[in-house]
Amino acid sequence: MNQKAFIFDLDGVIVDTAKYHFLAWQKIAGRLGINFSHEHNEQLKGVSRVRSLDIILGLGGVEAAQEDKDRWLIEKNEDYLGYITNMKEDEILEGVVPVLQYLKDNNQKIALGSASKNARPILEKVGILHYFDAIVDGNDVTNAKPDPEVFIRAAQLLGMQSEGAMVFEDSVAGIQAANVADMVSIGIGDKTVLHEAQYNFNDFTEISTEFLEQLVKN
Ligand code: BG6
Ligand code: MG
C-alpha cells in the first residue's frame, strides 16, 4: 500500500472544543457589550487567539489598548483551560479513533495541524497522542490559517510532500489553507459552510474504509 500524509485539525475535528472556545469568547464579548453569535463564531474557527480577539472587537467596533487586549487574551485562555481541564476520552468525536486506527494499521503517516497552543495537552488528556507521528500547533507557526504554513510544516515533519497530503478540517480558513498547499481538503461539518472543500462529511462516522483506501491509492 502507498504511504500518504494525513493531517488532522484538532478543535472541531478530533474533539468538540469549538464549543468551549465559543463559550469563553462569548464571555469576553458580553462584558464588552459586543453581540457575538454562533454565526459570528464561524469566522473564528481555525483562527489564532490573537486574531480571534481582533475579529470580535471589530464586530463591535471596539478599539482597545494593547494592555487591555493582552489581559482579555489571558482571561479567555484561563476560562478555556477551565473547560478543558477535565477532558477525557469520551470527548473524542465519534468515528475519529477508528479512522486513526485504520490509518495506523495501514502504515499511513499521521500529523496534527492545529492553530491552538493548547493542542498537545488536549491530545494527552483524551489519550490519543500516540497516534501522531508529528504535531504542529499554534506554538510552532508564525502565519495562521488560511496561510498553509501549519500544514506544510506538518507534511515536512512527516517527511512527506505537501502535494496530495490529506487534510481534515472543520474551518473555512483551514480548508482554504489546505487548498492553497495543493492538499486534499476534507471538510468535516456543514457542507454549505465548507463548500470550498474537495470532499465533505458531517462527521467521521460517515468516512468509510473504502474512502480512505481510495485516498491512499490516488
Ligand atoms: C483553533 C480554533 O484550533 O485554535 C480557534 O479553531 C482557536 O477557535 C485557535 O482560537 C487557537 O487556540 P488556543 O487554544 O491557542 O487559544
Ligand atoms: Mg478546527
Side-chain angles (χ1 to χ4, degrees), residues 22-33:
F22 175 70
L23 289 172
W25 281 128
Q26 215 179 24
K27 270 189 211 168
I28 301 281
R31 267 176 22 213
L32 297 172

Side-chain angles (χ1 to χ4, degrees), residues 196-216:
E196 290 172 67
Q198 234 168 302
Y199 299 97
N200 289 91
F201 297 96
N202 287 309
D203 58 51
F204 275 83
T205 62
E206 294 181 358
I207 297 184
S208 64
T209 51
E210 288 76 22
F211 173 71
L212 295 171
E213 255 172 51
Q214 177 205 322
L215 289 179
V216 172

Side-chain angles (χ1 to χ4, degrees), residues 79-90:
D79 197 22
Y80 179 70
L81 290 177
Y83 287 115
I84 65 169
T85 186
N86 292 321
M87 276 184 85
K88 302 230 166 32
E89 212 181 318
D90 61 359

Side-chain angles (χ1 to χ4, degrees), residues 9-15 17-18 21 44-47 113-115 145 168-171 174:
D9 174 48
L10 176 72
D11 297 311
V13 168
I14 292 178
V15 283
T17 38
H21 282 294
L44 267 54
K45 287 187 180 171
V47 171
S114 167
K145 300 169 190 174
F168 296 98
E169 256 293 349
D170 72 317
S171 72

